[in-house]
Amino acid sequence: MRSELFGTLPDGTPVHRWTLERGGTRVRVLTYGGIVQSVEVPDGRGQVAGIALGFAELGGYLEHPGPYFGALVGRYANRIAGGVFSLDGGTYRLAQNNGPNSLHGGECGFDKRVWEAEPEGSESEGVRLSRVSPDGEEGFPGRLTVSATYRLGEDGAFSIAYEARTDAPTVVSLTNHTYWNLAGAGTGGARGHVLRIAAGRYTPLDSVQIPTGEFAEVAGTRCDFREERVVGAGYDHNFVLDKGVTEGAEAVAELCDPSSGRVLSVATTEPGLQLYTADHFGAELPFAPGDGIALETQRFPDSPNQGGFPSAVLRPGGVFASETVYRFSVR
Ligand code: BGC
């Protein structure tokens, strides 16, 4: 692994880029926002392509924060209804940065912070990003000590392991917001990719994209990805993964680009997977709607306000630990 200066923020803070390389896979991670800037893998003929949407320069990320390209999202990935939740007798107000709701940790979430970086492990190509999110940051209670360790295994599998500890009760859900295009980022749309998700249910939404609390069957709907189907457009849904929360990462989804044969398999410890087909990409972006597919492993949206969802609460003495593994292959 190696690191280099990638750019400088307007306030002079340097941003570094770490390169992990192994087994034919190369991954580049930024200390700004924990962003996965690029993932390069070969196809069946050995043709290498970058399959994660991103920018060559820091300025691209600063100019276009809205889509969360490749970012480490937190303290709470996805929406919290009305930007408010109660926990252990306290009520906490967050930025309403998405209609009436709080989205992806607020105005200045983990995706816009500069993380400390250190090399991780001798057995794997890895980098460990860490930071302390102060008590009250973006309205969240508790001082959160958080890390995300990015590793490339011997077989070229790319994993992200998250860990967090707090000094007061809080809520945590962390994800990575990479948009995948297995044909190659910038080569066109990803809507022809085929996808399988091991989820028999999903969480239906109200008019402002907050879960109704119901778990609906995917059978007979366009959310039925139990058998492989063409992705298409118009998805921004959380799937209730059949396996639930698990201690180790279990396989939950497989995305394939039939033209190149490249396959991405996702395994996770998390109970939810948000499928977002990038339909809101605006004309100001160098990518068009549908140019990438985000597969965000996470707790469910709005869990802090939904008693029937897997808990996202972290209390002092406890550890939030989650892991997602991305494996690349060809068909
Ligand atoms: C959300 C979308 C949102 C996007 C922001 C996704 O994780 O589910 O609703 O528009 O992030 O880029």
Side-chain angles (χ1 to χ4, degrees):
M1 77 214 86
R2 61 179 198 275
S3 78
E4 67 204 316
L5 183 68
F6 181 66
T8 308
L9 292 177
D11 70 358
T13 309
V15 171
H16 290 90
R17 175 168 76 175
W18 286 68
T19 300
L20 315 178
E21 208 161 354
R22 205 170 199 184
T25 304
R26 182 162 77 173
V27 176
R28 295 184 133 155
V29 177
L30 307 183
T31 55
Y32 177 76
I35 288 172
V36 173
Q37 187 216 1
S38 70
V39 176
E40 291 161 88
V41 294
D43 66 8
R45 291 183 303 276
Q47 218 47 30
V48 174
I51 58 168
L53 268 51
F55 297 103
E57 284 168 14
L58 183 59
Y61 294 99
L62 302 180
E63 267 167 53
H64 306 293
Y68 296 84
F69 288 109
L72 195 180
V73 182
R75 181 180 306 197
Y76 200 89
N78 217 306
R79 293 178 173 78
I80 294 181
V84 62
F85 68 96
S86 297
L87 178 61
D88 292 358
T91 296
Y92 301 96
R93 291 186 189 284
L94 314 170
Q96 292 167 290
N97 60 332
N98 182 256
N101 306 315
S102 174
L103 176 69
H104 292 336
E107 295 291 352
C108 192
F110 290 2
D111 61 294
K112 295 178 192 70
R113 307 282 177 178
V114 177
W115 295 65
E116 295 289 323
E118 57 184 322
E120 167 71 23
S122 50
E123 293 299 300
S124 63
E125 280 273 300
V127 57
R128 179 177 181 272
L129 303 184
S130 60
R131 71 178 290 266
V132 173
S133 168
D135 178 30
E137 185 178 71
E138 287 294 325
F140 290 96
R143 178 179 190 270
L144 195 77
T145 306
V146 53
S147 69
T149 304
Y150 299 66
R151 287 188 189 91
L152 261 188
E154 233 172 293
D155 52 356
F158 174 48
S159 62
I160 308 180
Y162 307 87
E163 230 179 71
R165 291 177 171 77
T166 185
D167 69 354
T170 192
V171 293
V172 186
S173 178
L174 305 175
T175 195
N176 174 269
H177 211 288
T178 294
Y179 293 93
W180 304 97
N181 185 329
L182 302 179
T187 63
R191 286 182 172 153
H193 285 25
V194 292
L195 175 64
R196 203 151 39 77
I197 305 176
R201 294 174 300 167
Y202 72 105
T203 50
L205 302 172
D206 70 10
S207 60
V208 290
Q209 286 187 271
I210 293 297
T212 59
E214 182 198 348
F215 291 169
E217 300 287 329
V218 297
T221 75
R222 56 193 299 274
C223 284
D224 192 351
F225 285 93
R226 290 173 300 173
E227 301 285 333
E228 194 166 79
R229 69 189 281 157
V230 175
V231 179
Y235 289 97
D236 196 1
H237 293 79
N238 170 61
F239 289 79
V240 178
L241 298 171
D242 294 336
K243 65 163 195 80
V245 181
T246 42
E247 210 154 285
E250 292 187 13
V252 294
E254 192 168 283
L255 184 67
C256 174
D257 163 45
S259 66
S260 64
R262 288 194 192 90
V263 175
L264 162 69
S265 313
V266 180
T268 189
T269 56
E270 289 300 278
L273 179 94
Q274 182 88 10
L275 167 62
Y276 174 52
T277 44
D279 302 282
H280 307 124
F281 278 11
E284 75 287 358
L285 293 173
F287 303 105
D291 271 7
I293 295 169
L295 299 169
E296 305 154 50
T297 52
Q298 53 190 222
R299 298 287 141 153
F300 296 175
D302 197 35
S303 292
N305 293 309
Q306 306 256 1
F309 286 3
S311 174
V313 173
L314 179 67
R315 293 197 170 81
V319 182
F320 171 90
S322 80
E323 185 178 30
T324 296
V325 184
Y326 307 91
R327 284 191 179 81
F328 310 102
S329 58
V330 286
R331 274 190 199 161

